[in-house]
Amino acid sequence: MKRSRIKSVIKEGKKADQVMICGWVRTRRDSKEFSFLEINDGSCLMNIQVIADSSLVNYDEIIHLSTGSSVTVEGLLVESPGKGQNIEIKAEKIGIIGKAADDYPLQKKRHSEEFLRSIAHLRPRTNRFGAMFRIRSEIAIAIHNYFREKGFCYLHTPIITGSDCEGAGEMFRITCLDKLPSPDETGKKDFSADFFGKETNLTVSGQLEAELFALALGDVYTFGPTFRAENSNTSRHAAEFWMVEPEMAFCDLAGDMELAEDFLKYLIRFALEKCHEDLDIFSKFVDENLKSHLEAILNQDFIRLPYKEAVKILIESGKTFDFKPEYGKDLQSEHERFLTGDHFKGPVIVYNYPKTIKPFYMRVNDDNETVAAMDVLVPRIGEIIGGSQREERLDILEKRMDGMGMNKEEYWWYLDSRKYGSVPHSGFGMGFERFLMLLTGTTNIRDVIPFPRTPGNVDF
Ligand code: 4AD
Ligand code: MG
């Protein structure tokens, strides 16, 4: 007999259907003549109730089944007289596949997030994390659907890279050398004996490569893992995270902001429609106002706010921040939260940042002081998207790179794109985990990624 998933049995199963399901025991309750098993197979939040009659040949074993044990059940779907379910399985055969030892850590009670992080290999078996990772999967597919519907081409950019896109130097070096070369008198390190013959790192962003493809295919996007050795042990930063990066040729900053807003709203709408059963658990146990927060985002136009005005609002707020807001300094998360949570009470796109705090590739504005950058800030999370119009003018780009002390020769391929048929183009990066935090009300990034990598933490 073919195995059915519990989700389809609950949704489509009819009385008197003969079914076979496989899953793990969540709870067991015994009465005189029956044992009631709640079985979950991960296909949905719901368990299915199985009635094991004492006439079953292995009944003695069944009444000793512990939480976490794996079983197969064959039997008849019957209407359930009990509360909480419409349908249950009257078992004709229960196969015990793997017993769970008595010290199974997921006994039926609520566990703290910290504890569950320490058993990240087992936490997907809980309701909350099962729901989280089903939602994560659905949203990943929705991202592809969004760009596909819009005619974007999906691009795989390399994970091993020889360049630093963001210029922040927060990269994980990759080497096959036992001993790193020491710097020469000019400070240069000779990696010619290493695997690639030069210094290489894990990528912090696929943007530079995406730009090259946008200038050939028009509209492209990447969606993959990125790595940052930022030593910031915050609840919003991971050392390995997934980023979605669309890049559009013949597009300016206004078009970039439009896409960012449309994209976020599409994903939220998708989740409310297609993932509501799993989202419910977050409304129940994580944030009771979750749905109204999400609907509020759908129902408002994102504010467009020049950086200069953002700083003015922060200064004039009279609020004491840990970091004093000041023109020329990056916005801190407390500032982002003030703007979105207290002041505008909704998403805000801050744009035109001072060029001194932004990477080399951003387009210099006519004031020669700011660049065409934009960050989408949302309540409670802060920055969820960072993007910009790119500097398409070769002379200005080269000047900027010189000014920042960059080695232009290493970026010869990037500069070529400005030499041969350069066009205005724009793009952004959305942190996939930050989006999942917004969507589920989860406050720690470690709880939206299967196996989080943060400073000092690389278990599993
Ligand atoms: O603002 P960032 O650094 O922008 C870029 O990397 C650009 N190259 C993107 C582009 O224009 N194609 O990062 C983009 C987003 C942030 O807004 C944030 O959501 C997320 O990536 N992010 C992180 N998420 C988790 N952990 C970290 N350490 C993150 N750093 C950035
Ligand atoms: Mg950023």
Side-chain angles (χ1 to χ4, degrees):
M1 198 173 186
K2 201 169 158 284
R3 165 176 84 117
S4 297
R5 300 282 277 162
I6 289 174
K7 182 180 183 178
S8 60
V9 171
I10 290 175
K11 289 231 149 95
E12 296 145 28
K14 283 186 284 301
K15 223 169 46 175
D17 279 354
Q18 190 77 28
V19 293
M20 171 182 168
I21 55 123
C22 305
W24 292 266
V25 176
R26 281 292 175 82
T27 58
R28 197 199 74 241
R29 235 167 3 101
D30 305 315
S31 74
K32 262 205 192 115
E33 291 132 69
F34 302 103
S35 187
F36 298 91
L37 302 172
E38 290 280 333
I39 310 293
N40 187 283
D41 70 354
S43 59
C44 64
L45 199 61
M46 277 173 291
N47 305 325
I48 197 157
Q49 177 159 284
V50 172
I51 318 292
D53 186 292
S54 58
S55 63
L56 290 172
V57 287
N58 54 349
Y59 192 67
D60 281 353
E61 267 188 292
I62 292 168
I63 55 171
H64 290 108
L65 271 176
S66 56
T67 299
S69 300
S70 51
V71 293
T72 64
V73 178
E74 287 177 56
L76 212 59
L77 275 188
V78 294
E79 223 163 286
S80 174
K83 264 200 291 206
Q85 69 271 326
N86 299 324
I87 220 162
E88 58 191 26
I89 302 177
K90 192 169 172 344
E92 288 161 1
K93 198 165 150 193
I94 295 184
I96 297 167
I97 301 181
K99 287 186 187 153
D102 289 339
D103 60 352
Y104 185 58
L106 293 173
Q107 302 302 334
K108 201 179 174 172
K109 65 166 196 155
R110 274 196 84 182
H111 301 282
S112 73
E113 285 142 16
E114 290 77 15
F115 171 69
L116 290 172
R117 255 170 245 150
S118 74
I119 51 164
H121 58 307
L122 294 174
R123 68 178 179 168
R125 296 191 192 186
T126 63
N127 281 342
R128 172 173 171 173
F129 285 93
M132 172 57 75
F133 295 118
R134 279 189 298 272
I135 291 173
R136 188 177 166 115
S137 165
E138 287 298 309
I139 300 302
I141 305 290
I143 287 168
H144 287 299
N145 286 343
Y146 177 82
F147 288 116
R148 189 150 197 263
E149 283 164 22
K150 286 205 160 329
F152 282 61
C153 186
Y154 175 33
L155 170 69
H156 298 117
T157 49
I159 286 174
I160 300 174
T161 175
S163 62
D164 181 358
C165 171
E166 296 304 299
E170 290 158 336
M171 305 211 288
F172 288 102
R173 181 183 288 128
I174 300 182
T175 181
C176 293
L177 298 175
D178 289 331
K179 198 167 160 273
L180 288 181
S182 351
D184 66 13
E185 43 310 334
T186 65
K188 266 203 179 142
K189 291 178 189 160
D190 179 10
F191 278 90
S192 56
D194 206 349
F195 188 92
F196 294 105
K198 60 183 277 192
E199 189 175 353
T200 47
N201 292 281
L202 294 177
T203 187
V204 295
S205 160
Q207 178 196 319
L208 301 188
E209 291 88 354
E211 283 187 51
L212 307 178
F213 267 67
L215 267 59
L217 302 180
D219 295 335
V220 300
Y221 73 103
T222 71
F223 182 17
T226 44
F227 308 85
R228 295 195 187 174
E230 294 166 289
N231 208 352
S232 46
N233 215 336
T234 78
S235 57
R236 306 183 315 147
H237 290 86
E240 177 176 317
F241 62 99
W242 281 60
M243 192 158 39
V244 187
E245 296 184 274
E247 189 70 35
M248 295 166 287
F250 310 103
C251 177
D252 62 8
L253 188 69
D256 201 34
M257 295 196 255
E258 233 170 83
L259 185 82
E261 178 171 351
D262 187 61
F263 177 52
L264 281 178
K265 286 180 171 172
Y266 173 95
L267 293 182
I268 292 174
R269 215 175 290 121
F270 174 91
L272 288 173
E273 271 172 34
K274 299 279 163 46
C275 308
H276 53 90
E277 282 167 13
D278 281 326
L279 271 181
D280 278 347
I281 196 166
F282 293 92
S283 305
K284 242 191 228 155
F285 296 112
V286 180
D287 175 5
E288 56 178 9
N289 298 317
L290 183 64
K291 294 239 165 113
S292 59
H293 281 311
L294 294 174
E295 267 148 22
I297 294 177
L298 289 183
N299 294 329
Q300 54 193 300
D301 296 329
F302 293 11
I303 304 280
R304 274 40 172 188
L305 181 72
Y307 164 88
K308 216 177 209 160
E309 281 176 38
V311 174
K312 195 160 161 264
I313 290 172
L314 290 166
I315 292 172
E316 288 175 1
S317 73
K319 210 177 129 87
T320 15
F321 295 104
D322 291 341
F323 293 87
K324 216 172 116 211
E326 201 179 317
Y327 185 88
K329 293 230 171 100
D330 219 346
L331 297 183
Q332 299 293 322
S333 53
E334 54 176 341
H335 305 145
E336 297 170 350
R337 277 198 284 263
F338 175 81
L339 290 171
T340 54
D342 301 304
H343 192 83
F344 290 105
K345 299 187 174 33
V348 179
I349 309 185
V350 178
Y351 67 99
N352 287 352
Y353 284 75
K355 66 178 181 188
T356 47
I357 55 172
K358 289 292 183 187
F360 74 99
Y361 54 72
M362 294 187 178
R363 191 177 196 277
V364 179
N365 288 322
D366 291 344
D367 61 12
N368 201 26
E369 198 187 294
T370 59
V371 285
M374 64 104 179
D375 280 353
V376 181
L377 315 178
V378 290
R380 294 178 303 165
I381 306 291
E383 181 190 337
I384 192 164
I385 284 178
S388 62
Q389 183 170 343
R390 322 305 189 187
E391 184 55 79
E392 85 283 14
R393 299 161 295 186
L394 181 62
D395 53 332
I396 297 177
L397 182 60
E398 285 187 319
K399 227 190 276 160
R400 186 107 196 280
M401 292 174 84
D402 287 337
M404 293 173 84
M406 291 173 67
N407 182 354
K408 287 192 309 246
E409 274 147 44
E410 280 177 21
Y411 292 84
W412 63 272
W413 43 275
Y414 186 73
L415 293 167
D416 263 7
S417 65
R418 274 55 175 178
K419 201 168 144 195
Y420 307 120
S422 187
V423 302
H425 60 288
S426 304
F428 62 77
M430 181 189 81
F432 187 42
E433 286 74 22
R434 298 253 176 109
F435 178 76
L436 293 171
M437 291 170 73
L438 173 73
L439 188 63
T440 58
T442 301
T443 51
N444 197 314
I445 197 166
R446 293 165 182 82
D447 298 332
V448 301
I449 189 165
F451 299 103
R453 272 80 179 93
T454 50
N457 176 16
V458 71
D459 284 339
F460 312 106

